[in-house]
Amino acid sequence: NYRNMPSDCDVIDDIEDMVTPHEPTPHERQFSRKSVVPRARRRKALPLPEELVIPGTQKVWVKTWGCSHNNSDGEYMAGQLAASGYKIPSDADVWLLNSCTVKNPAEDHFRNSLRKAQDQNKTVVVAGCVPQAQPRMDYLKGLSIIGVQQIDRVVEVVDEAVKGHTVRLLAQKKDNGRRLGGARLDLPKIRKNPLIEIISINTGCLNACTYCKTKHARGSLASYSVVELVERARQSFQEGVCEIWLTSEDTGAYGRDIGVTLPSLLWALVREVPEGCMLRVGMTNPPYILEHLEEMAKILNHPRVYAFLHVPVQSASDSVLMDMKREYCCRDFMRVVDFLKDKVPGITIATDIICGFPGETDADFQETLELVKKYRFPSLFINQFYPRPGTPAAKMEQVPAQVKKQRTKQLSALFHSYNPYDHKVGERQRVLVTEDSFDSQYYVAHNKYYEQVLVPKRPEFKGQMITVDIYDSGKHFMRGRMVKDTAVISPSISRPLQKGEVSGLAQVRPAVPRLLHHQLWVWVGVGWRLSVLPMSISGSSPFVV
């Protein structure tokens, strides 16, 4: 509509009307570009970081609380970190705190160490049952967490933590929907004692005890296969180990999720134990060992298996056991003990007792005292009840604190009123020497019944099976002296690793300088092709391309 336009306004009917006769031609426009010189734009250089953080060069202190299962996890994490280049001293830049949630004092120690690390501006990574069960606790905010089934990824988590990032890996490991026992058993490991291998045969349990917080962290039963466990034992013996501990939250329940039994596993393992080496079976609850008593007696009588079993009773009162949801009565426990004592002469039965569980009466506690008087357990773990947050027992009516303390004190006095080893003075025993005593004055050995025998601290005894005469005894030990002109068995089939040496590295890296080939995918023409780049290194980790 041109009606409202001024009369002196030019009307353009076509875009070509915009080109005047004086405009350059396209050919002239093309060649005129050569004379154009672009001006370089100066960019402000980014400042370099004050300190370049290279993961794998730091020192990491690994601290573990709790059971032998947790200790095995700590050994695996230390081994992987060392294999990745980290140093594992006690004066470290990074603290890896592997926690236990069984009792309040254990968690208190963990929390106090965490605060100490933060006060010293340490990089902190937490692991174990406490953060797995309650990752949203206020004092865990902002911290990296390694779940109990994610210990094979400890290097990833620590790498990110030293760079200032927060990583939390809490998932369960599964295979086609079935929950697995945990990380692979052939991972690098630094054994606290190079002569002792701790093997977790399963994680979790089938119980639902009302006081237990560990179930929240470890979950339901998930077992390793017999093949995996036998291979791990074989590898351990090849590395100079002379004693294997089998551990889990409940060894008696082993295999119920995969269609095998504990005795079938034990017979398979016994065949791998060299002469002079020993196998120790870990804690089992009464319900799941009852149906295997005949086979267990045969296994515990085997010369390469300790005649020792840890069977927690917790209370001798059926009423209390019912409130605990322990799924057995005191008579079931006594049946286990009586049968094994009859079929395995001299067997050591260790047990646990909780004092002051909610609802425990004086009469209930008296039944527990009578049980201890009857069996005079040589090894008794006495625990004052602590309500753990989130457990049914924490919501029950509590026994007064003073009563709990008094009962704990009374049971401890009963336990210390007898000496279980006095009658063994004068005996001659074969013992396997594996550890240092707490005061570092003796070596610690164990006889067939896993009773502790202190022997002179002579370097040639360590890792050997020797014959001793018992000349003294205490509450928890005997003392023995070497019998002259008796055979000394060296059970290790190869040289034990040095203290702090990483297990399993022989399978993953050569010990000599070598030529590495790095694989690199390269775009060639219309597709990706694999190129091999040789790189000579000596003792260093290869770069990742």
Side-chain angles (χ1 to χ4, degrees):
N1 185 1
Y2 306 120
R3 295 179 182 176
N4 298 325
M5 286 187 177
S7 57
D8 58 347
C9 186
D10 293 330
V11 177
I12 299 176
D13 293 326
D14 194 283
I15 193 168
E16 293 179 356
D17 293 338
M18 296 176 65
V19 181
T20 68
H22 305 292
E23 290 287 334
T25 64
H27 181 74
E28 293 171 336
R29 188 180 293 111
Q30 174 68 27
F31 284 95
S32 68
R33 294 175 181 172
K34 294 181 179 180
S35 61
V36 177
V37 179
R39 185 173 62 183
R41 179 182 298 174
R42 292 191 176 187
R43 295 187 178 183
K44 186 176 180 181
L46 294 175
L48 291 175
E50 293 182 4
E51 182 180 353
L52 182 61
V53 177
I54 304 176
T57 62
Q58 292 78 15
K59 299 176 182 179
V60 183
W61 180 48
V62 181
K63 171 63 178 176
T64 296
W65 293 267
C67 64
S68 54
H69 190 168
N70 226 34
N71 275 274
S72 178
D73 287 352
E75 292 178 349
Y76 273 123
M77 289 190 283
Q80 292 172 85
L81 291 167
S84 184
Y86 288 98
K87 303 295 185 295
I88 314 294
S90 56
D91 55 332
D93 318 296
V94 182
W95 285 18
L96 172 52
L97 304 178
N98 188 24
S99 61
C100 171
T101 192
V102 171
K103 295 185 289 186
N104 287 8
E107 183 172 348
D108 291 342
H109 287 308
F110 164 68
R111 186 165 51 242
N112 292 338
S113 294
L114 175 56
R115 288 171 180 163
K116 182 178 179 180
Q118 292 170 329
D119 290 342
Q120 296 179 18
N121 294 317
K122 305 287 186 181
T123 299
V124 182
V125 176
V126 295
C129 292
V130 171
Q132 179 74 52
Q134 291 182 293
R136 294 183 177 85
M137 294 284 285
D138 287 342
Y139 70 88
L140 298 177
K141 285 182 179 178
L143 296 178
S144 290
I145 297 176
I146 304 165
V148 295
Q149 286 209 319
Q150 298 292 328
I151 61 172
D152 55 336
R153 300 182 66 184
V154 60
V155 175
E156 299 174 53
V157 178
V158 173
D159 281 354
E160 293 304 314
V162 299
K163 291 187 288 188
H165 303 155
T166 299
V167 179
R168 295 189 165 202
L169 303 179
L170 296 165
Q172 304 294 323
K173 290 192 181 298
K174 295 184 178 180
D175 180 24
N176 294 325
R178 183 180 73 83
R179 186 165 173 264
L180 300 178
R184 293 190 348 257
L185 295 174
D186 61 349
L187 295 169
K189 187 176 195 180
I190 296 180
R191 298 185 181 95
K192 184 177 180 181
N193 184 338
L195 298 174
I196 298 175
E197 166 70 0
I198 306 171
I199 302 179
S200 168
I201 63 175
N202 57 266
T203 190
C205 67
L206 295 174
N207 296 335
C209 301
T210 56
Y211 57 83
C212 183
K213 188 72 174 177
T214 306
K215 181 67 177 275
H216 297 193
R218 297 283 181 178
S220 296
L221 180 69
S223 304
Y224 287 99
S225 71
V226 172
V227 172
E228 290 176 285
L229 294 166
V230 168
E231 182 55 36
R232 180 60 188 177
R234 188 179 295 132
Q235 177 191 339
S236 301
F237 289 126
Q238 290 170 351
E239 293 176 335
V241 163
C242 61
E243 185 171 292
I244 285 183
W245 299 354
L246 302 182
T247 185
S248 77
E249 283 65 57
D250 186 352
T251 58
Y254 168 79
R256 286 175 173 257
D257 57 321
I258 57 175
V260 295
T261 64
L262 177 63
S264 65
L265 168 66
L266 295 178
W267 284 125
L269 288 171
V270 165
R271 288 192 288 270
E272 301 295 328
V273 180
E275 182 67 28
C277 295
M278 297 298 289
L279 179 69
R280 192 190 83 175
V281 182
M283 187 273 289
T284 175
N285 285 311
Y288 305 109
I289 205 68
L290 276 168
E291 64 189 72
H292 302 310
L293 285 179
E294 289 281 357
E295 281 299 298
M296 287 302 299
K298 294 176 184 176
I299 292 166
L300 294 172
N301 273 310
H302 193 282
R304 295 194 292 275
V305 179
Y306 285 119
F308 166 87
L309 202 60
H310 180 191
V311 188
V313 64
Q314 306 300 6
S315 173
S317 164
D318 288 346
S319 173
V320 173
L321 291 174
M322 185 176 297
D323 289 340
M324 291 179 173
K325 290 193 175 179
R326 289 291 288 170
E327 299 183 7
Y328 60 86
C329 63
C330 187
R331 182 170 295 181
D332 293 330
F333 171 81
M334 294 170 65
R335 179 185 164 199
V336 171
V337 175
D338 292 341
F339 183 92
L340 292 177
K341 280 183 170 290
D342 178 54
K343 299 295 184 180
V344 189
I347 187 174
T348 297
I349 299 291
T351 195
D352 300 359
I353 290 176
I354 296 175
C355 296
F357 186 82
E360 182 186 62
T361 64
D362 289 340
D364 294 328
F365 181 65
Q366 188 62 40
E367 291 183 66
T368 299
L369 292 175
E370 294 301 321
L371 184 76
V372 174
K373 289 177 184 177
K374 177 179 179 179
Y375 289 107
R376 296 167 67 91
F377 301 103
S379 182
L380 178 62
F381 302 96
I382 302 170
N383 302 291
Q384 180 178 316
F385 175 75
Y386 291 96
R388 301 297 289 131
T391 62
K395 300 176 183 178
M396 299 177 182
E397 184 175 352
Q398 302 297 305
V399 172
Q402 189 58 39
V403 174
K404 289 191 290 185
K405 290 180 181 179
Q406 180 58 36
R407 289 175 183 171
T408 303
K409 185 177 179 180
Q410 188 176 352
L411 182 58
S412 297
L414 172 60
F415 174 60
H416 286 93
S417 68
Y418 58 87
N419 291 321
Y421 306 125
D422 284 354
H423 67 286
K424 297 202 172 191
V425 173
E427 289 186 359
R428 181 164 291 186
Q429 301 180 354
R430 296 282 283 173
V431 297
L432 179 60
V433 185
T434 55
E435 305 172 62
D436 290 1
S437 62
F438 286 118
D439 61 6
S440 299
Q441 301 300 308
Y442 297 90
Y443 280 148
V444 177
H446 293 92
N447 59 20
K448 162 68 177 172
Y449 312 104
Y450 204 68
E451 295 165 332
Q452 186 169 270
V453 179
L454 303 181
V455 299
K457 195 170 185 180
R458 292 167 51 182
E460 64 269 25
F461 288 173
K462 195 71 172 285
Q464 309 297 311
M465 182 167 279
I466 63 176
T467 302
V468 298
D469 284 334
I470 303 300
Y471 66 91
D472 187 23
S473 70
K475 175 62 182 176
H476 301 287
F477 62 88
M478 293 169 275
R479 287 192 178 94
R481 59 172 63 96
M482 173 76 175
V483 178
K484 295 180 179 179
D485 302 322
T486 55
V488 175
I489 298 177
S490 299
S492 298
I493 61 177
S494 64
R495 178 190 65 83
L497 300 178
Q498 297 298 310
K499 193 170 182 64
E501 190 174 352
V502 182
S503 155
L505 285 192
Q507 287 74 36
V508 298
R509 73 170 186 193
V512 296
R514 70 277 192 198
L515 187 69
L516 291 183
H517 290 84
H518 291 279
Q519 295 180 343
L520 178 67
W521 287 95
V522 181
W523 180 265
V524 180
V526 293
W528 290 100
R529 291 190 182 177
L530 186 62
S531 176
V532 179
L533 307 177
M535 175 182 174
S536 179
I537 70 168
S538 177
S540 61
S541 299
F543 293 98
V544 178
V545 180

